[in-house]
Amino acid sequence: MGKVIFEFDSTEEQDDIKSALDGYKWKLAMYDLDQEFRSTTKYGTSHIKHDGSQACEVEDAVAEKYRNMIREILSGYGLILD
């Protein structure tokens, strides 16, 4: 198994260290957000009302729009969500 070593020169770079180590958490958070939008578009479940009721046409359209936007932004950074 290979090793990855992160080197930072000072305590001022603590935010960089945290960002480097939290990359996987960011991916999981984006995946969870994508899945929330997916459940609206695929199953028609409303997440705005928080009661599991049927999503309206506008909610479905907005969920689809933002799901695509997330994927386009990630793709621009060379990142893959799935």
Side-chain angles (χ1 to χ4, degrees):
M1 178 185 260
K3 289 184 183 181
V4 175
I5 299 172
F6 294 105
E7 289 188 25
F8 297 92
D9 296 325
S10 66
T11 56
E12 289 84 27
E13 295 175 330
Q14 276 187 318
D15 287 340
D16 294 335
I17 294 168
K18 183 127 177 74
S19 292
L21 296 174
D22 284 346
Y24 190 70
K25 291 178 186 176
W26 280 95
K27 181 176 181 175
L28 290 175
M30 292 305 295
Y31 180 81
D32 288 348
L33 180 59
D34 179 71
Q35 292 304 298
E36 290 291 331
F37 288 137
R38 179 179 180 271
S39 69
T40 299
T41 59
K42 185 171 183 176
Y43 303 112
T45 306
S46 176
H47 292 279
I48 294 173
K49 300 169 194 157
H50 302 290
D51 62 2
S53 61
Q54 195 70 16
C56 70
E57 191 173 309
V58 172
E59 288 174 293
D60 186 53
V62 169
E64 184 67 26
K65 176 183 177 178
Y66 283 107
R67 188 167 189 230
N68 289 333
M69 188 184 300
I70 288 169
R71 291 173 179 277
E72 286 176 22
I73 290 169
L74 291 175
S75 178
Y77 285 99
L79 300 172
I80 299 170
L81 192 56
D82 297 345

